[in-house]
Amino acid sequence: MKHLIKYLPGLLFTLSLALLSLLLTGFLPVGVVVIGITSGMIIGNFFNLSENLWAGINFSEKKLLAWAIIFMGVKLDFNIVKELGYKSIVVIVVSIVFTLLLSQIISKLLGFNRRLGLLLGIGNGICGSSAIAATEKIIGAEKDEVGLSVTIINFLGTMGMFLLPLLIKYIFHFDDIKSGFFIGNTLQAVGQVVAAGFSLNHTVGHTATIVKMVRILMLTPVVFSLIYYFHQKNKKAEVVVKKQGVPYFIVGFILMSLLSTFHLLPLKGIHILGEFSHYLLLTAMVAIGLKINFLTVLKQGGKALLVGSLIFLMQLIFAVLMIDWVL
């Protein structure tokens, strides 16, 4: 009991900041995760937090994040793949690989932090904050890098949510199916995809949502690819993370996705666990924000925004080419 009590003050503190972030979403034009991580950064940098808070903050950042990833898997139904043709699946996979490789090429050319560049590529290429959260421990990312990448990816996604429908309407003139594919295969977060797609019409929105769901499903093979890649580097003494096998939260993530795929949970249960995952993720991001140093963000922020923007721009161009050439 005493072991649990030591976490309580910090846990309640991060939960209160998460609740405040939820309340602020009605007044600020940005996503709740960005509000959460930013509020944590402000409090952590401008206030001297009591020592008895840090055990609970660390618990929120590590354990709650792990369980957020586990319950995140319940949103993934692999049956959704049936709604797309094989050509569409191939384009989605190729696009993700292109974005991840591009993140490393751009980072190398600009002399930028390759690990942070990879986080920006993962966030752009798959599913924003959730993908960053699911992979940051595997690649050994620092908390400053996680917070910065989450903030930039959400910013770019918010801009894209307004920009992409205008590009489709006034420049590309795609039909509804191609419009939905373009939005679903490029925007970072599900909410952004839904908002942008349905702002055009129902068909575009439905198509965009399906494409986005398939992109999210690709998180599983990407995670295992990263585990293999970094373990191989470890064998060569280029240590990025310690060899530790498959993280338990990834195993849980996959098991939860199987519950949805094989309809072992009612829809209401899936919805409840999905929402629970969202709130756990928000609380964990607040905790991460509390541990971020402003000086580090200011030092890398400008270049990180440039790298993230270049990745997103090239991702959009590649998506247009794939639509013209393949679909």
Side-chain angles (χ1 to χ4, degrees), residues 60-207:
S60 300
E61 179 246 318
K62 294 175 181 177
K63 298 298 182 182
L64 295 190
L65 179 60
W67 282 100
I69 294 167
I70 289 171
F71 289 122
M72 194 188 301
V74 81
K75 301 177 183 179
L76 305 187
D77 183 349
F78 286 88
N79 292 309
I80 200 77
V81 175
K82 297 175 184 177
E83 297 197 38
L84 291 179
Y86 76 93
K87 287 197 297 185
S88 297
I89 304 293
V90 170
V91 171
I92 292 170
V93 172
V94 170
S95 298
I96 291 173
V97 173
F98 169 81
T99 304
L100 296 181
L101 292 177
L102 182 68
S103 71
Q104 295 302 280
I105 293 171
I106 291 176
S107 297
K108 185 174 182 179
L109 290 175
L110 296 180
F112 185 66
N113 181 334
R114 298 278 290 276
R115 193 169 51 201
L116 180 52
L118 182 56
L119 284 179
L120 292 169
I122 290 167
N124 267 314
I126 307 173
C127 53
S129 305
S130 300
I132 292 170
T135 56
E136 51 112 343
K137 293 185 185 300
I138 296 169
I139 69 175
E142 301 292 337
K143 299 309 165 194
D144 295 337
E145 295 166 347
V146 174
L148 188 56
S149 60
V150 167
T151 301
I152 289 173
I153 290 302
N154 278 275
F155 170 75
L156 292 173
T158 301
M159 295 300 101
M161 181 176 66
F162 296 105
L163 178 63
L164 265 58
L166 295 176
L167 290 176
I168 290 168
K169 190 173 182 179
Y170 296 109
I171 297 178
F172 299 137
H173 305 293
F174 291 144
D175 61 30
D176 287 349
I177 300 300
K178 289 183 177 180
S179 296
F181 193 93
F182 179 60
I183 291 171
N185 199 36
T186 53
L187 284 181
Q188 291 83 347
V190 175
Q192 295 159 359
V193 168
V194 171
F198 283 96
S199 71
L200 293 173
N201 62 55
H202 180 80
T203 303
V204 174
H206 181 69
T207 304

Side-chain angles (χ1 to χ4, degrees), residues 268-300:
K268 186 174 182 180
I270 290 173
H271 176 74
I272 291 172
L273 289 178
E275 287 295 301
F276 186 53
S277 167
H278 175 69
Y279 296 132
L280 286 177
L281 179 63
L282 172 60
T283 307
M285 288 297 163
V286 168
I288 288 174
L290 287 166
K291 300 173 74 173
I292 292 173
N293 189 304
F294 260 149
L295 294 178
T296 304
V297 173
L298 291 173
K299 185 178 179 180
Q300 300 191 71

Side-chain angles (χ1 to χ4, degrees), residues 235-284:
K235 289 177 184 177
K236 296 176 183 178
E238 299 171 29
V239 180
V240 180
V241 291
K242 295 179 180 179
K243 188 170 183 178
Q244 55 184 354
V246 180
Y248 74 92
F249 55 85
I250 297 301
V251 176
F253 173 86
I254 294 168
L255 291 175
M256 282 291 173
S257 70
L258 295 178
L259 292 180
S260 294
T261 300
F262 294 104
H263 306 296
L264 300 177
L265 277 178
L267 288 176
K268 186 174 182 180
I270 290 173
H271 176 74
I272 291 172
L273 289 178
E275 287 295 301
F276 186 53
S277 167
H278 175 69
Y279 296 132
L280 286 177
L281 179 63
L282 172 60
T283 307

Side-chain angles (χ1 to χ4, degrees), residues 190-237:
V190 175
Q192 295 159 359
V193 168
V194 171
F198 283 96
S199 71
L200 293 173
N201 62 55
H202 180 80
T203 303
V204 174
H206 181 69
T207 304
T209 303
I210 293 173
V211 172
K212 181 60 181 177
M213 289 300 104
V214 174
R215 276 175 73 199
I216 294 173
L217 292 177
M218 294 301 109
L219 180 58
T220 300
V222 167
V223 163
F224 278 105
S225 298
L226 289 172
I227 290 171
Y228 175 79
Y229 173 73
F230 281 107
H231 284 180
Q232 288 301 109
K233 290 191 74 174
N234 192 43
K235 289 177 184 177
K236 296 176 183 178

